[in-house]
Amino acid sequence: MVSPPSKEAVGITIKKNEDFSEWYTQVVMKAGLADYAPVKGFIVLRPYGYSIWESIRDILDKRFKETGHQNGFLPVLIPEGLLSKEADHFAGFTPEVFWVTKAGNTDLGEKLALRPTSETLAYSIFAKWITSYRDLPLKINFWNTALRAEIKATKPFVRTSEFLWQEGHTVHATEDEAEREVMSILGIYRELIEDYLAVPAVVGLKSDKEKFVGAKYTTTLEGMMADGKALQMGTSHHLAQNFSKPFEIKYLGRDTKEHFGWQTSWGVSWRLIGAIIMVHGDDKGLILPPKIAPIQVIVVPIHKDKDALVVKETAYEIARELKNVGIRTHVDDRDEYTSGWKFNEWELKGVPLRVNIGARDIEKGQIEFVRRDSRDKVQWPRSGLVEKTNELLREVQKALFARAKLLLDSYTSAPTSYLEFQSFIGDKGGFARAGWCGEPKCELAIKEETGADIRVITFEQNDIPDKCIYCGEAAKKVAMFGRAY
């Protein structure tokens, strides 16, 4: 028999608080989530990583359909003329666009962009579909990829040149309907991120400098990662009529007059997987929230040769019982690996709950649970398997969110002077809650001097400081500043 690789070879070899970037990369690679592709800036999503994306996709897809959205498909190539039809939008994306200039050996008459986002392409089509108020609202979602030229500071799931995402696009008869759509989607995203991914989100508006190019305003959900950097986890944009007018998305109203539509767009990407890793992972590897874990329970039979058959049969009985009530369960019955090696592998992969079963446990009519988050062990009667499993999964989910909330709180400060602001951002990082006069020049100066920008202007504008943290003039808003991925 070939000896399995050592635990040191497959396990995480760096502590999370010593070299966060290297720790993160090791978790991605060694947990079997992704691998690097031959082209710089691109990654290959492995089955285990893709299964996490499928969990996220299934949750959102269900919610979108419940709220009247339908799925569609768009091609990946966009003619340059279409992309440039909305000037601000085009200018904002030009530095990130991959261009196709040849078809085989033939030069193309017009450059084709590899889709950085789909507004211009979708809206040229919407203009053909919409003629009357009867065609509204139009609410379509696309599960696809986007390509943006991220060549330098790449990071698997967080910043890559191609990424999986969903992008929704809607057209409405009134601005009020469009604004309700923006907030409805923001609520769906918050439910996903907080209730399923167990990551607390700071919700609000982007500044004009940071909003989506071409939008009237952008709402955002910002998370705090374990290294003190913020991560934009989802955005929902009110586009007003900024696209419907250049693309002539018009409809004949009930008043028999012609009107331009009011639009929204919104999206999340696989960077949510990056957030899960960075917020919940530990020195052993990944920790997955039970609600989105592809495998919620791993059953490990522990036996000597003479007990192998009965222990394995019992392990599969346990798995069947759990699967019958919808708990995602897998049995690791590989004989070529020791129990200890299996324990470490499934801890690395972040499975929330492990069930150990051996001959002695069978004799006693019990099983052993091991929680991934706390590594606590619980002996429990075999007859109470399902109830206890569900209870422990709920506890793990709740504990992960509570721990992530403590992380967010520990990285949130309210500096009262610019010197204190600089010290906080430079030394620790995190969200600095500070007054802002509303002037872009102060926002830009802070970015240049500290690397921090306005991540979010929270909806709740309570206790606005008297002065702008930078210029000292009267503050008009309170904003959350931070360095970000």
Side-chain angles (χ1 to χ4, degrees), residues 308-322:
L309 184 60
V310 66
V311 172
K312 285 184 179 180
E313 285 180 349
T314 303
Y316 277 103
E317 287 174 7
I318 290 169
R320 280 194 296 272
E321 193 173 337
L322 295 177

PDB file of all heavy atoms in Angstrom, residues 308-322:
ATOM      1  N   ALA A 308     -14.641  -4.049  10.646  1.00  0.00           N
ATOM      2  CA  ALA A 308     -14.829  -3.148   9.508  1.00  0.00           C
ATOM      3  C   ALA A 308     -16.243  -3.200   8.942  1.00  0.00           C
ATOM      4  O   ALA A 308     -16.876  -2.157   8.721  1.00  0.00           O
ATOM      5  CB  ALA A 308     -13.800  -3.453   8.414  1.00  0.00           C
ATOM      6  N   LEU A 309     -16.748  -4.387   8.713  1.00  0.00           N
ATOM      7  CA  LEU A 309     -18.042  -4.523   8.045  1.00  0.00           C
ATOM      8  C   LEU A 309     -19.169  -3.909   8.850  1.00  0.00           C
ATOM      9  O   LEU A 309     -19.963  -3.107   8.345  1.00  0.00           O
ATOM     10  CB  LEU A 309     -18.337  -5.999   7.766  1.00  0.00           C
ATOM     11  CG  LEU A 309     -19.624  -6.278   6.967  1.00  0.00           C
ATOM     12  CD1 LEU A 309     -19.549  -5.593   5.598  1.00  0.00           C
ATOM     13  CD2 LEU A 309     -19.839  -7.780   6.799  1.00  0.00           C
ATOM     14  N   VAL A 310     -19.267  -4.235  10.125  1.00  0.00           N
ATOM     15  CA  VAL A 310     -20.379  -3.750  10.932  1.00  0.00           C
ATOM     16  C   VAL A 310     -20.278  -2.241  11.160  1.00  0.00           C
ATOM     17  O   VAL A 310     -21.295  -1.522  11.158  1.00  0.00           O
ATOM     18  CB  VAL A 310     -20.455  -4.509  12.279  1.00  0.00           C
ATOM     19  CG1 VAL A 310     -19.243  -4.226  13.161  1.00  0.00           C
ATOM     20  CG2 VAL A 310     -21.754  -4.167  13.019  1.00  0.00           C
ATOM     21  N   VAL A 311     -19.040  -1.731  11.318  1.00  0.00           N
ATOM     22  CA  VAL A 311     -18.873  -0.286  11.550  1.00  0.00           C
ATOM     23  C   VAL A 311     -19.243   0.497  10.295  1.00  0.00           C
ATOM     24  O   VAL A 311     -19.940   1.518  10.358  1.00  0.00           O
ATOM     25  CB  VAL A 311     -17.436   0.034  12.009  1.00  0.00           C
ATOM     26  CG1 VAL A 311     -17.219   1.542  12.060  1.00  0.00           C
ATOM     27  CG2 VAL A 311     -17.168  -0.577  13.384  1.00  0.00           C
ATOM     28  N   LYS A 312     -18.807  -0.002   9.151  1.00  0.00           N
ATOM     29  CA  LYS A 312     -19.133   0.693   7.905  1.00  0.00           C
ATOM     30  C   LYS A 312     -20.640   0.647   7.630  1.00  0.00           C
ATOM     31  O   LYS A 312     -21.233   1.632   7.177  1.00  0.00           O
ATOM     32  CB  LYS A 312     -18.361   0.091   6.739  1.00  0.00           C
ATOM     33  CG  LYS A 312     -16.889   0.471   6.711  1.00  0.00           C
ATOM     34  CD  LYS A 312     -16.193  -0.080   5.475  1.00  0.00           C
ATOM     35  CE  LYS A 312     -14.736   0.326   5.431  1.00  0.00           C
ATOM     36  NZ  LYS A 312     -14.039  -0.203   4.236  1.00  0.00           N
ATOM     37  N   GLU A 313     -21.258  -0.484   7.896  1.00  0.00           N
ATOM     38  CA  GLU A 313     -22.704  -0.583   7.696  1.00  0.00           C
ATOM     39  C   GLU A 313     -23.443   0.417   8.577  1.00  0.00           C
ATOM     40  O   GLU A 313     -24.404   1.074   8.140  1.00  0.00           O
ATOM     41  CB  GLU A 313     -23.175  -2.014   8.001  1.00  0.00           C
ATOM     42  CG  GLU A 313     -22.831  -3.018   6.914  1.00  0.00           C
ATOM     43  CD  GLU A 313     -23.313  -4.421   7.260  1.00  0.00           C
ATOM     44  OE1 GLU A 313     -23.724  -4.632   8.428  1.00  0.00           O
ATOM     45  OE2 GLU A 313     -23.276  -5.299   6.373  1.00  0.00           O
ATOM     46  N   THR A 314     -22.998   0.555   9.813  1.00  0.00           N
ATOM     47  CA  THR A 314     -23.618   1.508  10.721  1.00  0.00           C
ATOM     48  C   THR A 314     -23.396   2.940  10.243  1.00  0.00           C
ATOM     49  O   THR A 314     -24.300   3.787  10.322  1.00  0.00           O
ATOM     50  CB  THR A 314     -23.054   1.349  12.145  1.00  0.00           C
ATOM     51  OG1 THR A 314     -23.256  -0.011  12.582  1.00  0.00           O
ATOM     52  CG2 THR A 314     -23.745   2.304  13.115  1.00  0.00           C
ATOM     53  N   ALA A 315     -22.195   3.212   9.725  1.00  0.00           N
ATOM     54  CA  ALA A 315     -21.891   4.551   9.200  1.00  0.00           C
ATOM     55  C   ALA A 315     -22.851   4.908   8.065  1.00  0.00           C
ATOM     56  O   ALA A 315     -23.357   6.040   7.994  1.00  0.00           O
ATOM     57  CB  ALA A 315     -20.446   4.611   8.721  1.00  0.00           C
ATOM     58  N   TYR A 316     -23.104   3.943   7.187  1.00  0.00           N
ATOM     59  CA  TYR A 316     -24.022   4.207   6.081  1.00  0.00           C
ATOM     60  C   TYR A 316     -25.470   4.308   6.548  1.00  0.00           C
ATOM     61  O   TYR A 316     -26.272   5.048   5.972  1.00  0.00           O
ATOM     62  CB  TYR A 316     -23.859   3.145   4.993  1.00  0.00           C
ATOM     63  CG  TYR A 316     -22.708   3.462   4.066  1.00  0.00           C
ATOM     64  CD1 TYR A 316     -21.499   2.795   4.183  1.00  0.00           C
ATOM     65  CD2 TYR A 316     -22.829   4.451   3.095  1.00  0.00           C
ATOM     66  CE1 TYR A 316     -20.433   3.108   3.348  1.00  0.00           C
ATOM     67  CE2 TYR A 316     -21.775   4.772   2.254  1.00  0.00           C
ATOM     68  CZ  TYR A 316     -20.574   4.094   2.385  1.00  0.00           C
ATOM     69  OH  TYR A 316     -19.530   4.422   1.567  1.00  0.00           O
ATOM     70  N   GLU A 317     -25.828   3.595   7.607  1.00  0.00           N
ATOM     71  CA  GLU A 317     -27.166   3.749   8.178  1.00  0.00           C
ATOM     72  C   GLU A 317     -27.355   5.168   8.728  1.00  0.00           C
ATOM     73  O   GLU A 317     -28.398   5.796   8.530  1.00  0.00           O
ATOM     74  CB  GLU A 317     -27.383   2.734   9.308  1.00  0.00           C
ATOM     75  CG  GLU A 317     -27.573   1.307   8.828  1.00  0.00           C
ATOM     76  CD  GLU A 317     -27.624   0.335  10.000  1.00  0.00           C
ATOM     77  OE1 GLU A 317     -27.640   0.818  11.163  1.00  0.00           O
ATOM     78  OE2 GLU A 317     -27.625  -0.886   9.758  1.00  0.00           O
ATOM     79  N   ILE A 318     -26.323   5.661   9.410  1.00  0.00           N
ATOM     80  CA  ILE A 318     -26.356   7.027   9.941  1.00  0.00           C
ATOM     81  C   ILE A 318     -26.520   8.023   8.799  1.00  0.00           C
ATOM     82  O   ILE A 318     -27.340   8.951   8.861  1.00  0.00           O
ATOM     83  CB  ILE A 318     -25.070   7.309  10.753  1.00  0.00           C
ATOM     84  CG1 ILE A 318     -25.084   6.505  12.057  1.00  0.00           C
ATOM     85  CG2 ILE A 318     -24.911   8.809  11.019  1.00  0.00           C
ATOM     86  CD1 ILE A 318     -23.761   6.514  12.807  1.00  0.00           C
ATOM     87  N   ALA A 319     -25.728   7.835   7.734  1.00  0.00           N
ATOM     88  CA  ALA A 319     -25.786   8.748   6.587  1.00  0.00           C
ATOM     89  C   ALA A 319     -27.169   8.732   5.937  1.00  0.00           C
ATOM     90  O   ALA A 319     -27.713   9.796   5.582  1.00  0.00           O
ATOM     91  CB  ALA A 319     -24.712   8.387   5.574  1.00  0.00           C
ATOM     92  N   ARG A 320     -27.749   7.550   5.775  1.00  0.00           N
ATOM     93  CA  ARG A 320     -29.077   7.457   5.165  1.00  0.00           C
ATOM     94  C   ARG A 320     -30.124   8.169   6.004  1.00  0.00           C
ATOM     95  O   ARG A 320     -30.998   8.872   5.488  1.00  0.00           O
ATOM     96  CB  ARG A 320     -29.472   5.987   4.964  1.00  0.00           C
ATOM     97  CG  ARG A 320     -28.853   5.332   3.742  1.00  0.00           C
ATOM     98  CD  ARG A 320     -29.532   4.015   3.421  1.00  0.00           C
ATOM     99  NE  ARG A 320     -29.356   3.024   4.480  1.00  0.00           N
ATOM    100  CZ  ARG A 320     -28.322   2.187   4.567  1.00  0.00           C
ATOM    101  NH1 ARG A 320     -27.368   2.226   3.636  1.00  0.00           N
ATOM    102  NH2 ARG A 320     -28.243   1.317   5.548  1.00  0.00           N
ATOM    103  N   GLU A 321     -30.023   7.983   7.320  1.00  0.00           N
ATOM    104  CA  GLU A 321     -30.981   8.610   8.221  1.00  0.00           C
ATOM    105  C   GLU A 321     -30.899  10.136   8.119  1.00  0.00           C
ATOM    106  O   GLU A 321     -31.920  10.833   8.103  1.00  0.00           O
ATOM    107  CB  GLU A 321     -30.708   8.158   9.660  1.00  0.00           C
ATOM    108  CG  GLU A 321     -31.827   8.485  10.630  1.00  0.00           C
ATOM    109  CD  GLU A 321     -31.609   7.872  12.003  1.00  0.00           C
ATOM    110  OE1 GLU A 321     -30.870   6.867  12.099  1.00  0.00           O
ATOM    111  OE2 GLU A 321     -32.167   8.419  12.974  1.00  0.00           O
ATOM    112  N   LEU A 322     -29.690  10.670   8.011  1.00  0.00           N
ATOM    113  CA  LEU A 322     -29.507  12.114   7.902  1.00  0.00           C
ATOM    114  C   LEU A 322     -29.929  12.630   6.529  1.00  0.00           C
ATOM    115  O   LEU A 322     -30.585  13.669   6.407  1.00  0.00           O
ATOM    116  CB  LEU A 322     -28.051  12.490   8.189  1.00  0.00           C
ATOM    117  CG  LEU A 322     -27.561  12.229   9.622  1.00  0.00           C
ATOM    118  CD1 LEU A 322     -26.083  12.567   9.749  1.00  0.00           C
ATOM    119  CD2 LEU A 322     -28.374  13.016  10.643  1.00  0.00           C
TER     120      LEU A 322
END
